Amino acid sequence: GESVGLHLPTLSVQEGDNSIINCAYSNSASDYFIWYKQESGKGPQFIIDIRSNMDKRQGQRVTVLLNKTVKHLSLQIAATQPGDSAVYFCAENNYGQNFVFGPGTRLSVLP
Amino acid sequence: GAGVSQSPSNKVTEKGKDVELRCDPISGHTALYWYRQSLGQGLEFLIYFQGNSAPDKSGLPSDRFSAERTGGSVSTLTIQRTQQEDSAVYLCASRLETGSQETQYFGPGTRLLVL
């Protein structure tokens, strides 16, 4: 389930289960969205992106869904593994200008 | 070429001192971004460069913060008269160019601790 940690919301899932991380973005004019994974002590790492003319995009074990009507973005991770434990950030971009990041969600994979 | 690199990786300084943080972007990337990340927090935008110019400086928290980029490559972020609240991880990212739907690539960050 979800709980609010010190600063970040935390999602705890059992190893092997699917994870869904949600993000609400702010700018209806944003045309490009990215999910990043940040492990402890490292910079954010690109996972998957999606353009505003799409509503779904799949990668390896990851799927991003975009609902422009309600300005919602989600990241689905299939068969979650211990190595997936990290903080996940969504980011939105508006016509090439600055990126705006969401607050992040900490994913904790339980053995 | 290689990824984004930042130096130093860690910096401990005394309150009131100036610090300079360096970012080497991916070769050929024209856009460069600076962010600040406090412990357990998200990314706070500071400034971005397109080439050597900075169209958006809106994120710089005070006039103690400045950044420059020369030769369309290396960038330095300078914090003058550091304060304890400046303690954070400073992340740099580069991108092929602005105006494109391309991701940015992050460096490992500089961990700044102001005593």
Side-chain angles (χ1 to χ4, degrees):
Chain A
E2 290 193 16
S3 63
V4 176
L6 181 62
H7 294 288
L8 297 173
T10 298
L11 175 65
S12 298
V13 299
Q14 292 291 139
E15 182 179 353
D17 287 352
N18 296 335
S19 303
I20 300 176
I21 301 171
N22 297 303
C23 178
Y25 64 92
S26 58
N27 188 346
S28 57
S30 292
D31 64 338
Y32 178 55
F33 305 88
I34 309 169
W35 279 101
Y36 290 95
K37 172 186 180 183
Q38 187 175 27
E39 297 174 287
S40 181
K42 298 182 179 179
Q45 178 186 6
F46 170 83
I47 302 174
I48 191 169
D49 59 3
I50 188 168
R51 288 157 176 73
S52 58
N53 61 351
M54 303 170 67
D55 53 22
K56 179 179 180 179
R57 190 172 187 210
Q58 290 185 292
Q60 186 178 13
R61 280 203 308 120
V62 294
T63 301
V64 55
L65 299 177
L66 175 63
N67 186 330
K68 295 182 288 293
T69 302
V70 295
K71 293 189 288 186
H72 184 267
L73 196 65
S74 69
L75 177 69
Q76 300 178 1
I77 304 174
T80 311
Q81 302 170 359
D84 295 328
S85 293
V87 176
Y88 290 81
F89 292 98
C90 67
E92 60 182 304
N93 187 246
N94 177 16
Y95 295 102
Q97 300 304 314
N98 179 37
F99 288 87
V100 176
F101 284 78
T105 297
R106 185 179 305 281
L107 177 64
S108 178
V109 181
L110 307 174
Chain B
V4 179
S5 61
Q6 293 185 246
S7 61
S9 54
N10 293 281
K11 176 70 176 179
V12 181
T13 190
E14 294 179 346
K15 178 182 174 180
K17 301 279 189 177
D18 297 352
V19 296
E20 190 173 277
L21 313 179
R22 176 187 169 107
C23 172
D24 281 90
I26 293 172
S27 178
H29 280 196
T30 61
L32 186 148
Y33 301 77
W34 282 100
Y35 297 90
R36 179 168 71 175
Q37 187 174 34
S38 299
L39 185 64
Q41 298 288 323
L43 278 75
E44 175 189 2
F45 167 76
L46 297 178
I47 188 171
Y48 89 91
F49 290 89
Q50 176 58 41
N52 292 334
S53 64
D56 188 351
K57 303 180 181 179
S58 63
L60 294 176
S62 76
D63 58 8
R64 296 186 295 106
F65 287 72
S66 63
E68 65 175 16
R69 189 181 186 196
T70 55
S73 182
V74 172
S75 176
T76 55
L77 177 68
T78 301
I79 309 173
Q80 297 178 306
R81 305 180 302 281
T82 51
Q83 304 294 312
Q84 289 180 333
E85 60 263 28
D86 299 334
S87 297
V89 176
Y90 290 81
L91 289 160
C92 174
S94 74
R95 187 187 193 197
L96 186 60
E97 59 183 18
T98 58
S100 67
Q101 290 179 330
E102 297 290 340
T103 190
Q104 53 187 310
Y105 296 89
F106 283 86
T110 293
R111 285 150 190 79
L112 175 66
L113 177 61
V114 181
L115 301 176

